[in-house]
Amino acid sequence: ILAVLWNGARLLHPEAAWLVRLDIRGRIAVAALLVYNILSLGMPALLWVFVASETVGALLQHRAMQK
């Protein structure tokens, strides 16, 4: 439900820079939680793919905000 609401807000207000900044922080938080779970709880190494995708997504969004 939260993902649908979030994407709906971004769809309705794509120009809202604060939404993008929140999304960047959210992606970094998700990546950090995944790293914690992989390293401390022994979660599958396949989750590194999601760490990379969240990190790359945050970097691309940050870069787009700079333009």
Side-chain angles (χ1 to χ4, degrees), residues 30-39 41-55:
V30 167
L33 286 171
L34 285 169
V35 168
Y36 169 77
N37 283 308
I38 294 167
L39 296 178
L41 301 177
M43 299 298 283
L46 180 62
L47 290 176
W48 285 111
V49 172
F50 295 103
V51 172
S53 69
E54 291 296 333
T55 303

Side-chain angles (χ1 to χ4, degrees), residues 9-22:
R10 298 269 324 263
L11 182 65
L12 292 174
H13 300 286
E15 73 287 347
W18 67 274
L19 283 173
V20 177
R21 286 192 294 274
L22 284 176

Side-chain angles (χ1 to χ4, degrees), residues 1-5 7 14 18 27 32 38 40 47-51 54 65 67:
I1 293 172
L2 289 175
V4 171
L5 288 172
N7 287 321
W18 67 274
R27 286 176 174 269
I38 294 167
S40 67
L47 290 176
W48 285 111
V49 172
F50 295 103
V51 172
E54 291 296 333
M65 291 281 296
K67 292 182 179 183

